[in-house]
Amino acid sequence: MPVVRSGLVCVVSELLDGVSEIDWSTLDHAYGSAEKVPHWLAAMTDPATSADALSDLDMAVYHQGGAVYSAGAAVVPFLIRFVRDPAVPDRPDILKLVRRFAALHNEMAEPWKSRPHAQACRATLLAAVDSLFGLLDEPDPAIRRGAVEILVELGERADDLVDALMRRLPGEADPEVAADYVLALGTVGAAGALTPATRAAVAAWLSEHAPPPGDPGRFTFLVSIRRLGPDAVMVDHLLAAYANAMPQRTVGWLGRELGADRTARIALARIGIGQALHTQRQRPLAEVGAAMMRWRSATSVLAADVAATLDGPPAIQPAVVHLLAAAGDAGRGWSDSVATRIGRPGRLGALAAWALARWGDRRAIPVVERSLRRDPEIFDIGSAHYTDEFYWLDQDPAIADVCLSLAAYADELVPAIRWRLRDDPATPTAYQLTRVLSAFGAAALPALPELTAMLDTQHPALACKVLAGLGPAAAAARLELTRLAASDEPGASSAAWALFQIAGDPEPFLACEEVLTAERFTAVTARMLGDLGPLGMRYLPRVERRLKEHQPQFWRSWKGVELGFAHYQITGDPALCLEVFDAALDPLRHGRQLPVSRQALRYIARLGSAAARFTPLLRGAVEQDERLLYSGGWRGITEDEEAHTLANQALAAITP
């Protein structure tokens, strides 16, 4: 099929010249052989098939980044050829893919960054820099913007780039392109890619050409100057320039620029609240969540500002209630107002019920109970997890997350949980609701029939965990547990362990082939061995060998922490256990946490004064303002709350 360019016919073979000379079947991408790449490249020259072909190519050769596939290195030269030809369809989107390959070099870790395919890809991009500079003179603003995004990533030619941009900026008529050029000057300077003389020249040029206060174009100049030197621009001036900036940038974009400046981020969050009220859009409120997620104090400071918008536009009310729920105790003061929304249809009513549940408010019970019974089901069984710093306002809790906050009313929820376990035998349901029953403790006893029946399904280990927690009160399940423990079925060791917890008889577990012959202990098995205490002495050599094989990397894993505590429970000697916990708690020293860090904190409370060495670390975790984060969004806030509580409990146990 011909491609029309400037009134002439350009044969597609010119664009695809060299494609057939490559044996694509010997190259690979994310899904295996790259033999389809020539077909995708050919389809990208046809406007009717270009978008789908580019999407397929993108998913295969770039996929999720992290490394350069052999097919990726081979395809980049053709992508560059395509973006240089004005007749090729969807060039702005092709430029975005090229930009991701350019950025990949700066994002990759070793050893992937030094591998031949990655080096070849980078060399191709650098060899094409001069032709990419030519795209800055294209009439289409989208092409100019796409080109500068690529060039910014090629720091090896940063001095040439800033020279090209400063020459073009005075004549650039498109405000979006001009803003991108200005920001690019600060980006390459902040990346350390410029020579000292060029960096100084860029800083001087930006200061000289910055528009005066009140000019809509001033904002991007101030941001770029601040990228070169954070102290060069006062935050108040930056926020003032943002008020009428053109082109506009989201508050989340500016939040990423402000980074760890708590005062500025709180001020920006308040601007976001104003934007949400004015535009009737929820997205600006994400900056409120981002500040709450980062700083504990920001949550209490901003809760009142958020609550003041409860009677604002209906379009933003779900986000407002979501933020009040995420705020935890800081939002409790508005529970009565939130409760008036619990009967509202759709997501708003569900979020109101979640907020009340977060505050341990009984008014959430009827909605939660109906959801468990699918009458109607407003909380999903599973919910998403993410670790992004952006606060996603549409990531809502699952039914288990809601129930766990209502443990004080477990007796009212257990009947509905029992019904759901009978009605819905799916794995996610069994996993989530047994997690709730375990947390409910003795109140879960009425669910004994359902838990016993679960022993004869594909989820026996989940049931055993709850039964073991019930202890002697679960004696009615003893017959079924004995049968399972003596079998070679999956879950035999879990049943034997539950028997020990219920009847005090360790022999079924000690005789369990599943444990005796296991090459390596799982984290769950390690926890069971620890419960045996000195009775688990026969397993001690294997426990010690595993702990000493891969230290300390292994120590900060779930298996490492569980085996470390099991070693202490078996021997009564805390020395090795403390070394393991020191590794597992290391993220706290860097202002972060892992899920296993919270398990280590639980065990430290049981070690008591033997763990006195952790006192400064625990005190810092309790007193610091920045949250200990692992997950993003509301879950990050609740995980920090849990870590804070566990650290306090550990401190109390160490220094009673």
Side-chain angles (χ1 to χ4, degrees):
M1 176 179 289
V3 177
V4 178
R5 180 177 59 193
S6 304
L8 301 174
V9 175
C10 174
V11 182
V12 169
S13 61
E14 293 181 14
L15 287 170
L16 301 177
D17 184 35
V19 171
S20 62
E21 298 174 12
I22 298 173
D23 186 357
W24 294 94
S25 66
T26 66
L27 305 181
D28 62 8
H29 52 54
Y31 301 104
S33 170
E35 59 188 357
K36 287 188 177 180
V37 168
H39 167 76
W40 291 329
L41 289 172
M44 285 169 58
T45 66
D46 183 346
T49 57
S50 175
D52 288 341
L54 176 58
S55 177
D56 290 339
L57 182 74
D58 188 341
M59 285 190 295
V61 300
Y62 181 83
H63 195 53
Q64 297 177 353
V68 177
Y69 297 97
S70 57
V75 84
V76 166
F78 298 102
L79 297 177
I80 293 172
R81 182 188 296 173
F82 281 17
V83 298
R84 291 169 54 192
D85 192 323
V88 173
D90 297 314
R91 280 202 302 157
D93 291 328
I94 300 174
L95 279 166
K96 290 177 182 177
L97 177 55
V98 176
R99 184 260 172 194
R100 288 203 294 278
F101 275 110
L104 196 53
H105 178 82
N106 304 317
E107 298 166 354
M108 277 188 293
E110 296 292 3
W112 296 276
K113 188 173 182 177
S114 297
R115 288 183 172 173
H117 301 313
Q119 293 295 308
C121 180
R122 188 66 171 185
T124 298
L125 288 162
L126 289 172
V129 165
D130 291 330
S131 61
L132 292 171
F133 276 145
L135 297 180
L136 298 178
D137 297 318
E138 287 252 358
D140 185 350
I143 300 300
R144 301 199 297 278
R145 295 185 72 187
V148 76
E149 288 178 353
I150 296 170
L151 291 165
V152 162
E153 300 293 346
L154 303 175
E156 294 89 333
R157 296 285 301 274
D159 279 26
D160 295 334
L161 174 61
V162 298
D163 178 66
L165 294 180
M166 289 190 295
R167 283 190 287 105
R168 286 170 171 81
L169 261 166
E172 179 54 63
D174 188 283
E176 291 282 359
V177 177
D180 282 357
Y181 285 6
V182 170
L183 293 170
L185 293 174
T187 299
V188 295
L194 301 175
T195 61
T198 303
R199 193 177 193 280
V202 169
W205 190 93
L206 287 169
S207 296
E208 179 183 346
H209 289 81
D215 189 305
R218 179 176 175 80
F219 173 69
T220 48
F221 275 83
L222 293 185
V223 170
S224 197
I225 293 169
R226 190 176 186 274
R227 287 179 179 178
L228 292 173
D231 296 332
V233 176
M234 294 180 61
V235 169
D236 289 349
H237 293 171
L238 191 65
L239 293 176
Y242 175 71
N244 68 332
M246 289 297 292
Q248 293 181 338
R249 293 289 190 274
T250 66
V251 288
W253 182 90
L254 182 53
R256 290 188 290 275
E257 290 289 330
L258 295 174
D261 189 331
R262 173 189 169 278
T263 301
R265 294 290 294 275
I266 290 175
L268 183 63
R270 287 176 168 143
I271 291 174
I273 292 173
Q275 283 188 2
L277 288 169
H278 175 69
T279 63
Q280 299 189 33
R281 295 178 64 238
Q282 298 184 45
R283 187 175 177 84
L285 292 173
E287 181 59 20
V288 179
M292 287 171 37
M293 185 175 69
R294 186 155 191 170
W295 295 281
R296 294 165 180 167
S297 61
T299 306
S300 55
V301 168
L302 289 169
D305 297 274
V306 173
T309 66
L310 270 170
D311 294 321
I316 70 169
Q317 284 196 24
V320 171
V321 174
H322 178 108
L323 290 171
L324 285 176
D329 285 342
R332 189 188 301 274
W334 293 274
S335 60
D336 287 344
S337 182
V338 170
T340 64
R341 291 156 172 80
I342 202 167
R344 303 283 179 86
R347 187 164 171 258
L348 179 59
L351 291 172
W354 171 46
L356 293 172
R358 277 274 281 156
W359 303 323
D361 192 315
R362 192 186 175 283
R363 287 176 287 187
I365 296 293
V367 174
V368 177
E369 184 181 19
R370 287 198 299 273
S371 184
L372 283 165
R373 295 182 182 275
R374 293 172 160 168
D375 183 30
E377 185 173 18
I378 63 171
F379 296 110
D380 292 337
I381 281 294
S383 65
H385 293 244
Y386 67 95
T387 55
D388 189 10
E389 291 185 3
F390 183 79
Y391 191 99
W392 294 97
L393 290 162
D394 57 355
Q395 295 287 330
D396 295 341
I399 188 65
D401 302 312
V402 180
C403 288
L404 288 170
S405 299
L406 293 167
Y409 306 101
D411 58 330
E412 298 183 55
L413 290 176
V414 166
I417 292 173
R418 294 179 62 190
W419 180 91
R420 185 59 176 269
L421 288 172
R422 294 192 300 268
D423 183 72
D424 178 8
T427 297
T429 303
Y431 174 78
Q432 296 291 350
L433 296 188
T434 53
R435 185 164 69 97
V436 173
L437 291 174
S438 289
F440 282 178
L445 186 59
L448 190 59
E450 288 72 28
L451 294 167
T452 304
M454 198 182 294
L455 296 174
D456 198 28
T457 69
Q458 58 182 328
H459 314 302
L462 297 175
C464 287
K465 183 177 180 181
V466 186
L467 293 169
L470 291 171
R478 188 170 177 176
L479 185 62
E480 276 298 305
L481 287 169
T482 301
R483 178 200 63 77
L484 181 58
S487 73
D488 58 358
E489 299 174 22
S493 61
S494 296
W497 168 67
L499 275 174
F500 172 56
Q501 299 292 337
I502 291 170
D505 181 7
E507 288 307 317
F509 186 82
L510 292 171
C512 188
E513 288 293 320
E514 190 178 332
V515 180
L516 287 169
T517 61
E519 183 177 344
R520 296 185 183 276
F521 295 130
T522 66
V524 173
T525 305
R527 193 177 308 135
M528 296 174 184
L529 292 176
D531 289 340
L532 289 173
L535 293 172
M537 190 64 69
R538 72 173 67 175
Y539 300 103
L540 186 61
R542 292 166 62 191
V543 170
E544 290 183 336
R545 184 171 64 251
R546 185 71 175 114
L547 283 171
K548 294 175 181 178
E549 278 179 358
H550 304 290
Q551 53 170 337
Q553 180 178 353
F554 174 69
W555 290 353
R556 60 174 61 102
S557 69
W558 279 98
K559 291 181 184 178
V561 167
E562 295 296 352
L563 283 171
F565 192 60
H567 184 274
Y568 163 69
Q569 290 175 290
I570 292 169
T571 66
D573 181 357
L576 181 55
C577 177
L578 292 173
E579 293 303 314
V580 172
F581 288 176
D582 190 77
L585 294 176
D586 187 62
L588 273 63
R589 297 185 177 94
H590 308 284
R592 308 286 294 181
Q593 65 162 302
L594 296 173
V596 74
S597 303
R598 298 195 297 278
Q599 186 74 325
L601 289 173
R602 292 184 189 96
Y603 288 155
I604 283 176
R606 293 171 63 177
L607 284 167
S609 59
R613 63 189 282 187
F614 295 116
T615 298
L617 179 61
L618 296 171
R619 189 165 288 129
V622 168
E623 295 175 356
Q624 70 183 52
D625 189 29
E626 285 208 33
R627 293 190 184 276
L628 298 166
L629 288 179
Y630 174 71
S631 298
W634 65 267
R635 199 179 297 279
I637 295 175
T638 60
E639 288 173 351
D640 172 72
E641 291 171 352
E642 183 181 9
H644 186 273
T645 298
L646 291 170
N648 261 323
Q649 291 171 349
L651 277 172
I654 290 171
T655 56

